[in-house]
Amino acid sequence: MNTFTLSTIKQGFTKFLAISVIALGSTHAKTHEVGSTEYKLQAAEVIDKLVAKVFEKQKLPVPKQVDDAKFLRRSYLVLTGRIPTLNEVVDFTASNNPYKRDILVQQLINSPGYNSHTTNYFFDLLRVKETFNNNNTASPYHAWIRDAVRTNKKWHQIVTELVSAKGSVWKNGAIGYYARDKGMELDNMANSMRLFMGTRMECAQCHDHPYNAKIDRMDFYRLAAFSSGFKEINTGAFYQIEKALRDKEERSSYSSFVRFMKENVAYTSRQGMGSGRIKLPTDYQYNDGDPHEYVGARTPIEKSVRMSDRRDGDDGIKRFSKWMTSDNRRFTSVITNRLWKRIMGTGIFEPEDDYIEADKTVSPELMKFLSKLMLDLDYDMKAFQHILLLTKTYGFETSVEQVRATSYNLHGRQLRRLSAEQIWDSFVTLKAGNPDKLPLRQYPKTLTYRGNIIGVGSENMEAISAKILSTKDPAALDAYLKGLHASLKSSKSQPMMMKTHTSKALTGFVRASEISSPAPLGHMLREFGQSDRELIQNSTEEPNVNQVLSILNGHVEKLIVSDKKAFIYQAISKESSVEENITKLFLATLTRNPSKVELIIFKEEVAQAGDAGYQNILAALLTSREFLFIQ
């Protein structure tokens, strides 16, 4: 992203400023085009008024606004997952433009950094890993999610495409949502209800819900019936080929190749649209059904949708996805609350995946308005977040009382430690400069087998998978696979660039979104709480011994402090005074100037240690609580 300069303001945001003045200066409520700047500003003003009502009712003073430096740092961390560079800090704080905060958030929410940080967010939500359960590649799923973020795909469209995905993962990456839970269809349904509807049904897989009288085991199985009956495509032909190879007792390179292709093509395919019927399990123990009895699909909450108990249907998942995403207050409320938490730091209701009716929240008016706003925006997540960023509420100071409060009352921002990804990407910024200029992971539709790209000529995996899944005759499929296998030998003569053009995760100093998902054990990301991608949003900000050891002896020292070529050290110059150099270190790490006392202490450090004193200062700043928390 370009640095924040006055030339950028003049070139890109003249119109924005003009209409902002008009909108903010208006004293009469007007109907503006949904999504327009006027609409966003007016919506932000309504949110602030509803929050102010809460303060008035609870007799709370209005929190102060953060200064420009804190606003800048907070916005970079919340939207792009990193601290600003020294140049970005200097340019922003030097600007006297009265609308620079609004301009900043508009820049950041449309930057590559936003895409990167939002990709991390979705990988965490959807438990995205490098491979599916059979160790087959999940790269098409990765690519689909990244593209959804890049194009700002609407939330209800994302959910519909995930839940109703069919075909080949190489053609439709959304298939990965089911391939991720292959063989665990009931768990997948429980995850869907928790993720998209804020309704926890894991317990109801085995027994009536102990804490929610409205959810019982029958409810769960009736929901699972919507997606029952899905199958893989063309696995029968693969089984015939594998059986023939076993009968010949052939354990060759080709037999391994057949298994590899089955797992990476047929295994990650999906056909059918849900029968709408399911058998109750052997251990079903309640009076409303018998073991092995067929029950039809039915929704236990919100509006009622049901299918036949007596015959299979062919549109179960279509009905389910429509029920979930159309005129469903839970669906709307849950994503609204998730995004409020992403921007404001705490959900209006917590946990964010445990739905609470608007009337039971701290401000029913606010919750209802936000949900209506989400509907009006047609689930445009970027536009919704942009409105929140334009509010005065977003700029409230961090509240110590709010940290200690047992429930969220909107009175200031809760103090939160940076996520593992925010810490890592901030370190990368100090190490390498603007991380948006670093290499990005690529996702070509290719697949390698033992180091060789599969395919003949210009064929990629989309074309290959289409051919494999449509070839029903085992003999014809066997012949095609043998041709692919034979071509692997000749691929050794292909240029090295072609051989390495795969979707492998990047390593080294790149953004967290470009590293493997999750990062390897022992990596700084994992030690600082990155999710293992086994459970929904399984990351943690809790401290542990490994983090302390990493700070004292490991990552901070090795990655940045002891590397004299780190980008941060380019700001330190012998032509500058010691005070100026110390100030640059503070601006680049904490986004503020040092205090008089800090200057005295750190000038003495440089006087005693020489240039090594700057390294000691940087180490102290990076291990401080001020650096590790969002103010």
Side-chain angles (χ1 to χ4, degrees):
M1 193 193 80
N2 296 327
T3 56
F4 188 95
T5 62
L6 290 176
S7 62
T8 304
I9 295 172
K10 292 177 181 178
Q11 293 174 8
F13 298 98
T14 303
K15 182 178 179 182
F16 174 84
L17 296 180
I19 57 182
S20 295
V21 173
I22 295 171
L24 288 170
S26 174
T27 57
H28 302 286
K30 295 182 179 180
T31 301
H32 299 292
E33 181 182 353
V34 174
S36 67
T37 302
E38 299 97 323
Y39 176 91
K40 291 177 181 176
L41 288 165
Q42 188 174 2
E45 186 177 359
V46 173
I47 291 170
D48 285 332
K49 288 180 177 179
L50 292 173
V51 171
K53 279 189 176 182
V54 176
F55 298 163
E56 183 179 359
K57 182 178 179 180
Q58 298 188 10
K59 298 180 179 181
L60 297 169
V62 177
K64 294 181 180 179
Q65 291 285 301
V66 293
D67 59 27
D68 283 345
K70 287 183 180 179
F71 185 90
L72 177 71
R73 189 174 196 268
R74 176 185 294 180
S75 297
Y76 265 90
L77 286 166
V78 167
L79 289 173
T80 71
R82 67 171 175 92
I83 57 174
T85 64
L86 175 61
N87 288 339
E88 289 164 341
V89 175
V90 172
D91 288 341
F92 181 80
T93 54
S95 172
N96 293 320
N97 193 293
Y99 305 105
K100 66 181 182 180
R101 292 192 180 194
D102 295 346
I103 296 167
L104 175 72
V105 298
Q106 179 157 317
Q107 280 186 312
L108 295 181
I109 206 166
N110 290 298
S111 70
Y114 170 84
N115 294 341
S116 173
H117 192 46
T118 304
T119 295
N120 291 329
Y121 181 74
F122 275 100
F123 279 6
D124 208 6
L125 274 180
L126 299 173
R127 301 170 298 121
V128 177
K129 304 180 77 171
E130 289 299 307
T131 60
F132 298 125
N133 292 340
N134 274 23
N135 289 324
N136 40 0
T137 180
S139 63
Y141 188 32
H142 286 225
W144 186 90
I145 293 171
R146 288 177 186 270
D147 187 66
V149 171
R150 180 185 59 80
T151 60
N152 189 34
K153 187 172 288 188
K154 306 292 183 63
W155 177 244
H156 64 312
Q157 185 180 355
I158 287 175
V159 175
T160 297
E161 292 182 21
L162 289 174
V163 172
S164 61
K166 64 177 182 177
S168 165
V169 75
W170 295 99
K171 175 71 173 178
N172 178 13
I175 291 289
Y177 181 68
Y178 287 104
R180 169 66 182 82
D181 294 325
K182 195 75 172 184
M184 300 183 293
E185 287 76 12
L186 297 182
D187 292 307
N188 181 271
M189 175 55 72
N191 286 328
S192 294
M193 291 298 293
R194 178 178 175 181
L195 181 59
F196 306 132
M197 296 286 286
T199 305
R200 298 193 175 191
M201 303 189 72
E202 303 94 308
C203 296
Q205 292 184 55
C206 300
H207 49 76
D208 289 352
H209 203 294
Y211 308 118
N212 189 340
K214 296 180 180 179
I215 301 295
D216 56 33
R217 197 178 187 192
M218 178 62 78
D219 291 328
F220 179 84
Y221 276 91
R222 286 194 179 279
L223 271 174
F226 281 106
S227 60
S228 180
F230 278 93
K231 297 179 181 178
E232 299 166 355
I233 304 174
N234 210 26
T235 51
F238 270 102
Y239 290 142
Q240 290 296 322
I241 296 172
E242 289 182 310
K243 182 178 183 303
L245 291 171
R246 286 196 302 271
D247 291 343
K248 295 178 182 178
E249 297 183 354
E250 182 176 337
R251 295 185 178 180
S252 61
S253 173
Y254 175 63
S255 62
S256 298
F257 179 75
V258 171
R259 183 169 61 254
F260 178 83
M261 294 303 291
K262 182 185 72 174
E263 292 176 349
N264 281 280
V265 177
Y267 179 90
T268 52
S269 66
R270 185 172 166 88
Q271 65 180 339
M273 286 302 289
S275 65
R277 288 204 309 159
I278 195 171
K279 276 186 177 182
L280 294 176
T282 303
D283 64 348
Y284 193 80
Q285 71 272 48
Y286 298 107
N287 295 329
D288 54 356
D290 297 319
H292 300 295
E293 177 188 356
Y294 272 104
V295 295
R298 187 180 304 170
T299 55
I301 51 179
E302 301 301 317
K303 61 184 178 182
S304 178
V305 176
R306 61 177 62 197
M307 297 180 70
S308 173
D309 291 331
R310 299 184 177 182
R311 60 179 182 276
D312 288 347
D314 59 1
D315 64 347
I317 204 63
K318 182 178 180 179
R319 294 192 189 196
F320 177 72
S321 62
K322 184 177 180 181
W323 164 77
M324 184 182 287
T325 60
S326 301
D327 191 26
N328 190 317
R329 59 180 179 175
R330 286 194 182 216
F331 177 79
T332 305
S333 181
V334 168
I335 187 57
T336 297
N337 188 57
R338 284 190 185 281
L339 295 183
W340 176 277
K341 180 174 183 176
R342 188 164 190 244
I343 299 302
M344 301 298 185
T346 307
I348 294 177
F349 58 80
E350 292 278 359
E352 60 192 289
D353 55 8
D354 197 357
Y355 168 78
I356 295 177
E357 294 178 4
D359 289 339
K360 297 180 180 179
T361 63
V362 65
S363 174
E365 281 185 279
L366 176 62
M367 193 68 235
K368 290 174 182 177
F369 176 78
L370 292 172
S371 295
K372 179 64 165 57
L373 183 63
M374 180 66 75
L375 286 171
D376 289 345
L377 292 169
D378 195 28
Y379 296 98
D380 184 330
M381 293 181 287
K382 185 178 285 189
F384 180 83
Q385 291 175 93
H386 193 181
I387 290 171
L388 299 185
L389 293 160
L390 294 172
T391 63
K392 297 295 184 184
T393 303
Y394 169 70
F396 285 160
E397 282 272 13
T398 302
S399 168
V400 176
E401 287 73 20
Q402 183 66 76
V403 174
R404 296 169 179 167
T406 56
S407 61
Y408 181 47
N409 61 6
L410 309 174
H411 194 238
R413 188 183 188 89
Q414 285 191 323
L415 189 67
R416 300 188 72 92
R417 202 209 75 184
L418 304 185
S419 68
E421 289 84 358
Q422 287 171 326
I423 295 173
W424 172 261
D425 281 355
S426 294
F427 278 13
V428 170
T429 301
L430 294 168
K431 174 86 171 182
N434 188 339
D436 295 336
K437 297 180 180 180
L438 296 175
L440 299 177
R441 184 174 178 179
Q442 302 300 314
Y443 290 94
K445 290 189 176 182
T446 56
L447 187 63
T448 59
Y449 177 72
R450 296 182 178 177
N452 295 301
I453 292 179
I454 298 171
V456 179
S458 60
E459 281 186 326
N460 62 19
M461 281 306 300
E462 183 176 332
I464 291 171
S465 63
K467 177 70 174 178
I468 288 174
L469 297 179
S470 63
T471 305
K472 306 299 182 183
D473 178 51
L477 179 58
D478 187 37
Y480 180 71
L481 292 174
K482 284 178 177 175
L484 287 177
H485 184 247
S487 72
L488 295 176
K489 298 178 182 179
S490 62
S491 70
K492 293 181 179 180
S493 62
Q494 293 175 350
M496 183 58 67
M497 185 177 294
M498 181 179 290
K499 286 186 180 181
T500 57
H501 192 222
T502 63
S503 55
K504 288 184 178 179
L506 301 183
T507 58
F509 290 98
V510 293
R511 297 205 62 147
S513 59
E514 312 309 309
I515 297 173
S516 63
S517 177
L521 287 174
H523 193 282
M524 178 180 167
L525 281 164
R526 296 295 295 276
E527 291 185 358
F528 276 82
Q530 184 189 50
S531 169
D532 58 8
R533 309 291 197 242
E534 294 296 335
L535 301 175
I536 297 171
Q537 289 184 302
N538 199 29
S539 61
T540 178
E541 297 164 7
E542 294 297 320
N544 59 55
V545 174
N546 286 340
Q547 292 173 15
V548 176
L549 295 176
S550 292
I551 289 175
L552 294 177
N553 306 315
H555 297 300
V556 175
E557 174 68 25
K558 293 177 182 178
L559 297 183
I560 301 176
V561 174
S562 63
D563 183 4
K564 296 181 179 179
K565 294 182 180 180
F567 186 81
I568 178 61
Y569 289 130
Q570 294 180 20
I572 297 175
S573 169
K574 292 187 181 297
E575 286 73 33
S576 301
S577 67
V578 173
E579 182 173 321
E580 288 173 330
N581 286 334
I582 293 172
T583 299
K584 289 176 182 177
L585 290 177
F586 267 79
L587 290 173
T589 54
L590 305 184
T591 323
R592 68 167 176 85
N593 290 308
S595 67
K596 291 182 180 179
V597 173
E598 289 167 333
L599 271 176
I600 293 172
I601 294 172
F602 288 135
K603 285 172 72 175
E604 180 65 24
E605 175 65 25
V606 175
Q608 293 184 8
D611 288 346
Y614 292 122
Q615 293 179 306
N616 296 336
I617 294 170
L618 182 59
L621 294 177
L622 295 181
T623 55
S624 68
R625 286 181 293 179
E626 186 175 353
F627 179 82
L628 293 172
F629 283 79
I630 298 180
Q631 298 277 334

